Amino acid sequence: EAQVTQNPRYLITVTGKKLTVTCSQNMNHEYMSWYRQDPGLGLRQIYYSMNVEVTDKGDVPEGYKVSRKEKRNFPLILESPSPNQTSLYFCASSTKGQAVVTGELFFGEGSRLTVL
Amino acid sequence: SQQGEEDPQALSIQEGENATMNCSYKTSINNLQWYRQNSGRGLVHLILIRSNEREKHSGRLRVTLDTSKKSSSLLITASRAADTASYFCATRHNQGGKLIFGQGTELSVKP
């Protein structure tokens, strides 16, 4: 089954404790992206990647890092989480053609992160 | 901000009724897309309408686009309880550009 898989789905952590949210897709998609969803603010893009070893900042990259060493994986790293990073995070992917032509995205199920 | 705005923020209807949600945006678009999000789940792409299209259908979904008013509407006909979800419009303002999501309309369909 074609899917975007995120882990963990739920996480409660404390300020400053480094964490990684993994994202993996099995559709051979070139384009991958991370969003955060907050009440009243909708979805905002954190980082995106057009292909392996190619990453770029989205609208709200501060406090986050990403890497794209393999085509299928795009982990989101919070080096020193803070309470304002408490949010619902989504990974999304698409083919390069979709990314360029339409922008249509396939989303993972989300990871709810709470930073105390 | 280019972010789309959905209206209403919340909508409650009875099963069998039609549901209409609206989306307005500020700058010209390349295309506009609608996504559905069931509670606690990821977003699912429903339908895409290009800037040179005025109306599009997919099953019980009908999307219209009025570029002169910078607005779109999503109509769900003969709604079902399973249509209960949040619906987001997402605009793309140039080819190769990112999608910009609105804040969503929360639809509740009562059996």
Side-chain angles (χ1 to χ4, degrees):
Chain A
E1 181 189 350
Q3 56 188 4
V4 179
T5 304
Q6 297 179 224
N7 279 297
R9 294 287 316 280
Y10 302 91
L11 179 64
I12 301 174
T13 190
V14 295
T15 298
K17 186 176 181 181
K18 180 179 178 180
L19 68 93
T20 299
V21 186
T22 64
C23 173
S24 180
Q25 48 89 9
N26 63 0
M27 295 171 279
N28 202 35
H29 283 170
E30 292 87 0
Y31 179 89
M32 297 185 75
S33 181
W34 277 102
Y35 288 83
R36 61 179 287 175
Q37 184 179 30
D38 302 289
L41 296 175
L43 277 86
R44 294 178 292 167
Q45 190 181 52
I46 303 171
Y47 269 96
Y48 66 95
S49 169
M50 287 298 291
N51 216 325
V52 175
E53 301 292 0
V54 180
T55 63
D56 229 327
K57 295 178 181 178
D59 296 316
V60 288
E62 296 78 19
Y64 304 94
K65 284 175 59 177
V66 293
S67 69
R68 188 89 183 274
K69 293 184 169 55
E70 302 166 287
K71 196 173 187 179
R72 63 184 292 131
N73 296 322
F74 190 44
L76 178 70
I77 303 155
L78 285 73
E79 293 270 3
S80 183
S82 63
N84 65 11
Q85 291 179 298
T86 292
S87 187
L88 180 57
Y89 291 87
F90 288 100
C91 180
S93 72
S94 70
T95 64
K96 186 176 182 179
Q98 286 166 325
V100 171
V101 177
T102 66
E104 178 183 340
L105 292 171
F106 296 87
F107 281 84
E109 294 287 283
S111 296
R112 186 167 291 283
L113 172 65
T114 301
V115 183
L116 302 175
Chain B
S1 167
Q2 295 173 317
Q3 186 179 41
E5 294 181 7
E6 277 108 331
D7 167 58
Q9 287 189 325
L11 178 62
S12 182
I13 58 174
Q14 294 293 131
E15 211 165 25
E17 294 180 339
N18 295 342
T20 300
M21 289 157 269
N22 303 296
C23 171
S24 60
Y25 55 91
K26 294 178 181 173
T27 59
S28 62
I29 59 169
N30 174 268
N31 69 58
L32 185 146
Q33 304 175 31
W34 286 90
Y35 287 79
R36 183 186 74 228
Q37 182 182 31
N38 289 85
S39 181
R41 309 294 295 273
L43 282 77
V44 175
H45 182 265
L46 293 176
I47 195 166
L48 178 153
I49 187 165
R50 292 182 168 79
S51 59
N52 61 353
E53 297 175 311
R54 292 296 165 258
E55 188 170 313
K56 209 160 180 184
H57 297 253
S58 176
R60 293 184 296 112
L61 304 181
R62 176 179 154 235
V63 170
T64 59
L65 178 65
D66 186 334
T67 53
S68 66
K69 295 181 180 177
K70 293 187 172 57
S71 68
S72 172
S73 66
L74 171 67
L75 168 68
I76 304 174
T77 60
S79 63
R80 305 166 183 168
D83 294 327
T84 294
S86 293
Y87 292 82
F88 293 85
C89 72
T91 50
R92 198 172 204 214
H93 296 268
N94 50 270
Q95 187 156 338
K98 65 188 174 195
L99 279 183
I100 298 176
F101 288 83
Q103 295 179 32
T105 292
E106 203 172 308
L107 173 65
S108 173
V109 181
K110 299 187 188 317

